[in-house]
Amino acid sequence: MVNPRHIFDDELKNLRADLLRMGTLAREAVDKSIKALINRDTNLAEEVITGDDVIDKMDLDIEMKCMELIARQQPMARDLRTIGTILKTITDLERIADHAVDIAKIAKILADQPPLKPYIDIPRMCELSLSMLDDALRSFVNEDVELAKKMCERDDLVDALYNQVFRELLTYMMEDPKAVVRALYLIFVARFLERVADHTTNVGERVIYMVTGVLKELNV
Amino acid sequence: MVNPRHIFDDELKNLRADLLRMGTLAREAVDKSIKALINRDTNLAEEVITGDDVIDKMDLDIEMKCMELIARQQPMARDLRTIGTILKTITDLERIADHAVDIAKIAKILADQPPLKPYIDIPRMCELSLSMLDDALRSFVNEDVELAKKMCERDDLVDALYNQVFRELLTYMMEDPKAVVRALYLIFVARFLERVADHTTNVGERVIYMVTGVLKELNV
Amino acid sequence: MRFREKVYVFFTALAVLIIVGLLFYIIFDIVKNGIRVISWEFISQPPREGMTKGGIFPALYGTLLRTLLMLIFVVPVGVFTAVYLNEYGSGKNFSKWIRLAINNLASIPSIVFGLFGLGFFVLFLRLGAGLLSSALTVGLLTLPLVVVSTEEALKAVPNSYREAGFALGATKWQVIRMIVLPQALPGILTGAILSVGRGMGEVAPILFTGVAYYLPYLPSSVFDQFMDLGYHIYIMTTQSFNVELTKPIQYGSTLVLLILTFSLNIIAILIRSKMRRGRLG
Amino acid sequence: MEAKERIAYIVVSLLASVAIVSVILIFVFIAKESLPVFFNPEIKKEANLRIFFLTRDWQPIGLEPKYSFLPLIVGTLKVTLVAIVVALPLSLGSAIFTAEFAPRRLREIIKPIIELFSAIPSVVLGFFALMVIASWVQDIFHTSSRLNAVTAGFALAFAVIPITYTICEDALNTVPRELKEASIALGATKWQTTIKVVLPSASGGIFAGIMLGLARAMGETMIVLMVSGNAAQITWSFLDSVRTIPATIAAEMGEVAFGSAHYVTLFFLGLLLFSITFIINYIASILLERTQKRLRGER
Amino acid sequence: MNNIKISVKNLNIYYGNFLALKDITLDIPEKSITAIIGPSGCGKSTFLRALNRMNELLPNVRTEGKVLLDGQNIYEPNIDLVTLRRKVGMVFQRPNPFPKSIFENVAFGLRIQGIKDKEQIEEIVELSLRRAALWDEVKNKLHKSALELSGGQQQRLCIARVLAVQPEVILMDEPASALDPIATLRIEDLMRELKEEYTIVIVTHNMQQAARVSDFTAFFLTDENRAGMLIEYGNTSEIFTMPRDPRTEGYITGRYG
Amino acid sequence: MNNIKISVKNLNIYYGNFLALKDITLDIPEKSITAIIGPSGCGKSTFLRALNRMNELLPNVRTEGKVLLDGQNIYEPNIDLVTLRRKVGMVFQRPNPFPKSIFENVAFGLRIQGIKDKEQIEEIVELSLRRAALWDEVKNKLHKSALELSGGQQQRLCIARVLAVQPEVILMDEPASALDPIATLRIEDLMRELKEEYTIVIVTHNMQQAARVSDFTAFFLTDENRAGMLIEYGNTSEIFTMPRDPRTEGYITGRYG
Ligand SMILES: Nc1ncnc2c1ncn2[C@@H]1O[C@H](COP(=O)(O)OP(=O)(O)OP(=O)(O)O)[C@@H](O)[C@H]1O
Ligand SMILES: Nc1ncnc2c1ncn2[C@@H]1O[C@H](COP(=O)(O)OP(=O)(O)OP(=O)(O)O)[C@@H](O)[C@H]1O
Ligand SMILES: [Mg+2]
Ligand SMILES: [Mg+2]
Ligand SMILES: O=P([O-])([O-])[O-]
């Protein structure tokens, strides 16, 4: 017997695919923005900045589709939670992409300034945040609560790294007035990456809610 | 003839009242955090920090109520848009409250440090942001599209102020290494206020969407 | 309160008991007294000795023949009248008149049919007093029976079948022929059987239209006079010169008539109940 | 295809008009044969409305034929009254029992059995009445004549019962089950439900059943012909022999000369009978339709 | 959670040999709306009719187990059915006013109780019609036939009719399935008002309706022998946002089977 | 937007003197599902039945205006009704299979066209049943009575029966209102598949159904004289998320009146 809701399921599937695509774009944006920063690649930075429009549009698109699906298909229970999750997750993804833009803008500013010091912690933060995002998206696709929970735990590492970067750069600033601007920007970058991880944690919480019906803040 | 949906209308009204209450709380949190900063009032700062739990809980509560209302009342058209608006708006309000906490934390740190300079621009930014938030909430209550639009325009002022504060503080930092930490924190505060205004703009966009059905980003 | 209600209900049950008891008593009495008389001879022989002896063959023959003739007339007329009423004529004035006529026919006392048969078929159409006049007269009398039961059967065919047929591009006659009539067949059959059962036992309408007291020969054409079972009973019981002597014959004839009409009615009931069950399933 | 349709329509319409034509013909012919009562001076002398309704004797055979309808009408009314008095409680009671109180199985047995009554030809009923009922009546009432209004009325009741029963039972049955359940769910007992909800709802149908039974009783020929004694007399006693209108026609039509005053009078009786039963049936059918409509929830 | 009004314990119902409801145990709280949902034939109506012993009007029904109304088992032999059914009123799927006047419909329950006092009757009739939110619409035609009302009005009249006998529990078997969407919403609204004073149990095919109107929802399903069972019972919002049983989830999201 | 299949122009329909539909103008696109919604009595069924001239089976109906099917006015006098109704098939509210075998039900439309070729008939029957997503369920009992099927299966059989005469348009008047929720969803699913090849117009009381299944939605309402009018017509998603007319908004959010 065919599932009588298969059309709705198809639409839901499309929506999830859309979300995943958006997640991937956001992830790439962050990745590229950090690459642009490190490699002083203004073109790449510009790409991230202009690319954000696509993501913003996807955000709107998906939201409208969700509303339409609610209006037209009267989802209940898990279906409804899925749509709720998508609705909230796209906001986080959109924010993540915005942070990528913020970073890219800083990359553009710093591109023609001498490097303060070799980038070590920031790429590590980026890597960590993005691996979290990967896991968040994967847990969404596979409805994998365990993965989501583990992923959320890693947020602490990102926070620790942020504090470390913050303190280090603070020292630079106090030591060398000429470094102030650059260091400040880098602090912002670190801060943005920390936010990326925070938003990623939100996604994880949402996945858990979607599957279990329980919504709990994990990154207090 | 009585409106056959009056129970649903009542529930929707409750939800709107909840949202308003949450908005007011968020607004107060921001207000208090800045007051705590200016007056070096660690108690007040602490109050903001602990008070955030209430707002977080409201966020969850309202979201769950929205989902329940969707599941149980099959809202359509404007009813649905209202619920969608509430769902998204609470995220913004929650973020605004979070930023208040961030500011409060900084207030605590800066409380036992000598003032860098008299606060002028930051209180103004705060005032401006909060007046925007007031208008946003009012436009939500009165479904006043015009007010929402005007409110969003003021975001540019906040941005301008932010840039001004940023540059000024940057100068302080470069001039005096001892000022670096304090200036840095103040930049963060300014940045947070700027974010508050951004989130407020989002609320405005949502109100416009709720009333007209058209969703457009106003603060690109 | 409760007790009083039980008493009421008891009285209604008593009514049933009385009616059913009487019915069984009638049957019992007739069977008891009639069964001894019935034999092959009784069925197959003509009456003898001034109708005090012998059988009832000519009467049985006459009855069956006139009923058969009646059937040939009444079934097509009745069925198609019903078809008209239910399929073609809804809302038309003509069908209001038909319906009025049918109701009217059903209400006319049988003796009035007899008068009419005499005045119209026998005298006016000059069909003479014979099988045909009688069959037509009785046919008119049972016409409402056929129309009503056919119409009921037609009505029981859900309208949605017809709409479905039309929506598939069928013509009216196709819908009637391929969907409605087959579906209504059991009902039509019941109507026909009931009309036979009814017509067979009617005496009043044939009194003046062709029945004979005694005939030495069987009718050879539809214009001939005939003997009839019911009439036979009537004559034997009221006009016979020695009622007591012919009592066994009276009972025998009555039993035969009763068996004929009952069996037909029982068949009709069976068909109907089967039909009803079929519709539910 | 078009032609086939047309032919089918024409054939069906023609057959359908048989009923109308018949009724008209019946009326026309009965009326035609009885019209001389008004228009033929010869016949008017012997048979006219004054004689029919204002004299007291029916003696059609003899030197001076007397054609008063009054004894016939009285006879008809007597047997009808007896028939209704006997049949009504029995059939209505049974209808209530079968429709409301009998378990379903029992009901499915009772109903066809009672309806089988209508399958008994009236000669057979007459015969039975002659053989059995007449003796009962004589034993009970010690009458001089076995054949009288009570006997005939009693026998007629057998003819009336199935009609009245069937129509009443149907009427009770068409009362929607939901109505009964509603009443019971409101705390009414079954009997209260029957009396307060079911009977009022079905009252039109029940009344119609009674009327139709009445018409049947008035028009029935063979039974009364066989067991009423056929004495045309006006008395108050129900234990006297009576002669009814249909029985008179049946008994006398066979022996009259066509066109004679007697012949015409008999046809006029037929016309009278026809008219009375027509009116009764008409009222009944209106009642029935109205009740059914009401129960179906139409206005 | 309110007090328990009706407590069903290990209820089994048979039609002849066919087990239509299997081992139902369930507590219905006072002054709330409890909805029974489930696919066709799962025994919803049977369950509902067990609560005022209406099943006994059908032949061959056998009931095992207990149904406690205010702690009293209604299946005990000494229970007075008439009193029980006045306490536990019932509203049916199709509006079924008696073919009498509006007034007489509502007065019916009083008259069969032998109440004769005209004023008292008038008072109760008005009160019941008011409670059923019908008074304003019919006050000028109380003596017109009830059959002239619209479907939704008729259904409210049926509710008024039940209210007049002052029930404590009102059972409703798909009370809105014969009505149009607006009339349906009005009936639902009325239910919500009535639950202030009465305990209401409804059966509905329409899941959305159960979701909209009820406080508690019971989900029934048939097992492999077509016997109806209780699958899940709880707060309506939980049932519709996070049901515990996957079969409930499947049913309410339309993916059952 | 697809091509226009049916174009209704200034349609007025009278029952006797009563104007039931007033000045309806509306274009129905090809290969899509168009839903007609509106309160009871607003003329939805009347409208639908105007599209294949089924109204003419009722007495006293008068139709003004035009209904163009592929540009051809079906109300012109020379139109062959039989052909029209084969082109514009209809599925009714209650499943109404003929009391014949499953096979004969589907073959009916062919037989009335005079098709005798056994193989051809068998082929078309199978194809139609497949298209109606019923083949697998009935292929082993084609000669069993259609009345033995479940309600949902019967309705799909009725759809197959229509498909067998190769219509271009399928009209459905509340095709799922007699079905349980699951069977309803299956019919809706089938509709979505059918719209790949056919133009479908449905009437439904169930707003949610219109929302779920249709591409376009027309909202009808009656005016003060009880004449049905078209209030709004457009994309289903727009109608249900941001209707332009406040009356539409009122109706779909349940606040009409
Ligand atoms: N009077 C009866 N005799 C025998 N079986 C019955 C009777 N009434 C119901 N049943 C059977 O009992 C089961 C439950 O029936 P019930 O009417 O309670 O179901 P339901 O859930 O109300 O269904 P629906 O939603 O179709 O009304 C079904 O299988 C049905 O066939
Ligand atoms: N055969 C008819 N004769 C007279 N009036 C009719 C007829 N059929 C329908 N009407 C009237 O025409 C109007 C429209 O009826 P229609 O059946 O088209 O409405 P509908 O929208 O389909 O309603 P529902 O949702 O109840 O099916 C109603 O006012 C109705 O009373
Ligand atoms: Mg049920
Ligand atoms: Mg309709
Ligand atoms: O989106 P945020 O600025 O609140 O991280």
Side-chain angles (χ1 to χ4, degrees), chain D residues 185-186, chain E residues 86-91 105-107 109-110 113 124-134 155-172 190-191 193-195 197-200:
Chain D
L186 286 169
Chain E
R86 278 177 200 156
K87 261 198 215 163
V88 185
M90 189 151 198
V91 176
N105 262 280
V106 185
L110 306 171
Q113 289 178 29
I124 300 182
V125 167
E126 174 170 345
L127 188 70
S128 310
L129 285 169
R130 277 192 194 283
R131 286 211 184 130
L134 192 61
Q155 194 62 300
R156 275 177 285 150
L157 179 65
C158 292
I159 292 173
R161 188 171 65 181
V162 169
L163 297 182
V165 298
Q166 292 173 299
E168 297 164 12
V169 179
I170 304 177
L171 310 176
M172 303 187 171
L190 176 58
M191 283 189 225
E193 271 161 37
L194 291 177
K195 81 170 175 183
E197 285 190 64
Y198 307 90
T199 305
I200 299 180

Side-chain angles (χ1 to χ4, degrees), chain A residues 59-61 63-64 67, chain B residues 81 85 88 202 204-210 212-218, chain F residues 242:
Chain A
D59 177 35
L60 272 186
D61 256 23
E63 180 177 345
M64 287 300 123
M67 295 314 266
Chain B
R81 294 201 304 268
T85 297
K88 287 288 192 178
N202 285 348
E205 285 165 11
R206 288 290 156 182
V207 170
I208 296 170
Y209 164 68
M210 175 174 84
T212 65
V214 182
L215 185 53
K216 219 164 52 184
E217 281 217 50
L218 293 178
Chain F
M242 29 188 281

Side-chain angles (χ1 to χ4, degrees), chain C residues 5 8 12 16 19 22 88 92 101 104 107-108 111 115-116 120 124 140 171 173 208 234 237 247 250 265, chain D residues 5 9 22-23 26 29 93-94 97 113 119 127 131-132 158 189 191 221-222 225-226 253 274 278 281:
Chain C
E5 297 201 346
Y8 295 144
T12 62
V16 173
I19 294 179
L22 279 171
Y88 285 105
K92 288 191 190 158
N104 231 313
S107 73
I108 295 173
I111 190 67
L115 287 179
F116 168 69
F120 184 67
F124 183 79
L140 280 185
T171 63
W173 181 240
F208 329 125
Y234 164 63
T237 50
K247 220 175 189 173
Q250 296 168 24
N265 273 277
Chain D
E5 285 293 303
Y9 180 72
S22 311
V23 170
I26 289 174
F29 271 82
S94 308
F97 182 77
I113 287 182
F127 173 75
M131 294 295 165
V132 181
F158 289 135
T189 62
W191 184 256
T221 309
M222 294 315 288
L225 186 59
M226 291 165 85
M253 184 53 101
F274 179 84
F278 175 81
N281 276 289

Side-chain angles (χ1 to χ4, degrees), chain F residues 15 18 20 38-47 58 174 203 205 226:
Chain F
Y15 289 106
F18 169 59
S40 192
C42 68
K44 304 182 292 296
S45 301
T46 305
F47 176 77
L58 304 172
E174 314 219 12
V203 158
H205 244 124
R226 294 184 38 244

Side-chain angles (χ1 to χ4, degrees), chain F residues 210-226:
Chain F
R212 278 196 296 268
V213 84
S214 70
D215 302 303
F216 304 95
T217 300
F219 172 56
F220 281 36
L221 206 60
T222 48
D223 68 4
E224 60 288 352
N225 300 320
R226 294 184 38 244

